[in-house]
Amino acid sequence: MNIPSFKEYLSEDKQTAYFTFGRMSPPNNGHSKILDALSDKASGSSYFVYLSPVHDKKKNPLQYDTKIKHARKMFPKHARSIKADKSVSNAFDAATHLYDEGYTKVIMVVGSDRVDEFEMRLNKHNGKKGPHGFYNFENGVKVVSAGSMDPESEGLSAQQRSFCVDNDFTGFGQGLPSEMPNTDARQLFNDVRRGMGL
């Protein structure tokens, strides 16, 4: 039986990328759980956070660059992993981008309620060219649970937008990390309201 050397183990580790994709409209406490789980599961390996560039007044009020800025401020320990790349508009684009970067294995981390959906959809395209491009990962795309519901589908982001509609900064603040400075929280609140045309 061949036991890989430490050097081979390190090399293999570098070929595995962990990632997540989300709307973060707006970023909130629920997203911090996803990012912490992503970092824990990567355990020293590269991990990437891609955000949707979609923008509209109703469900995606933050402009892309503004969203990236707020996410990096809100989650400082993950800031370097939050990628600013408008060409990545969905999970398929993210997988293609990582494949093009030379990763041979990829693991996506999502809320527990979205594991089956993403695993089925991403593997359906593994090894097949499509509008997103092409990726072909060894053993397909693995999708694992962050151990919590997806903050988008659970309604945390919708609740935060609702607080903005009601001009309720106190309620909005309860959905943010406690260590977030009040000035940053207020700026996010104002940017969401502005994006919603309020």
Side-chain angles (χ1 to χ4, degrees):
M1 179 177 164
N2 249 347
I3 298 173
S5 68
F6 185 64
K7 191 174 178 182
E8 287 171 328
Y9 173 77
L10 283 179
S11 172
E12 183 176 311
D13 208 38
K14 284 182 181 175
Q15 294 172 342
T16 303
Y18 291 74
F19 82 100
T20 193
F21 179 89
R23 285 182 23 234
M24 290 202 192
S25 293
N28 57 61
N29 272 336
H31 296 114
S32 69
K33 292 176 184 173
I34 301 276
L35 300 195
D36 287 345
L38 175 63
S39 172
D40 289 345
K41 289 180 189 303
S43 189
S45 294
S46 301
Y47 70 97
F48 305 88
V49 180
Y50 297 101
L51 305 185
S52 169
V54 173
H55 174 251
D56 58 72
K57 283 186 177 181
K58 192 175 179 185
K59 289 188 175 180
N60 302 283
L62 292 175
Q63 294 275 1
Y64 185 73
D65 293 340
T66 304
K67 187 193 300 188
I68 293 285
K69 179 189 77 175
H70 282 298
R72 285 176 174 168
K73 274 188 178 182
M74 191 182 295
F75 314 119
K77 71 178 182 178
H78 304 297
R80 290 178 64 188
S81 294
I82 297 173
K83 301 300 174 187
D85 187 345
K86 283 184 181 176
S87 71
V88 177
S89 59
N90 53 51
F92 304 106
D93 290 340
T96 301
H97 180 75
L98 292 170
Y99 184 73
D100 289 345
E101 288 288 306
Y103 290 98
T104 56
K105 295 177 183 175
V106 73
I107 298 167
M108 185 180 191
V109 178
V110 296
S112 57
D113 53 328
R114 316 237 9 226
V115 172
D116 292 342
E117 171 201 347
F118 274 115
E119 190 151 66
M120 181 192 75
R121 291 175 66 200
L122 285 165
N123 281 303
K124 187 177 177 183
H125 294 277
N126 195 48
K128 295 175 184 173
K129 195 162 175 56
H132 58 274
F134 177 82
Y135 57 86
N136 189 16
F137 295 104
E138 292 174 17
N139 309 316
V141 180
K142 189 175 178 185
V143 183
V144 297
S145 170
S148 59
M149 296 282 283
D150 183 282
E152 303 292 349
S153 59
E154 192 179 280
L156 289 177
S157 291
Q159 186 179 52
Q160 291 294 82
R161 294 193 297 271
S162 179
F163 284 133
C164 289
V165 170
D166 296 338
N167 202 17
D168 181 356
F169 179 65
T170 302
F172 184 84
Q174 290 171 356
L176 303 176
S178 57
E179 63 273 15
M180 189 176 183
N182 195 60
T183 50
D184 290 346
R186 176 62 76 172
Q187 183 66 57
L188 175 59
F189 180 74
N190 290 340
D191 284 344
V192 174
R193 280 179 55 78
R194 192 175 299 115
M196 296 179 88
L198 300 170

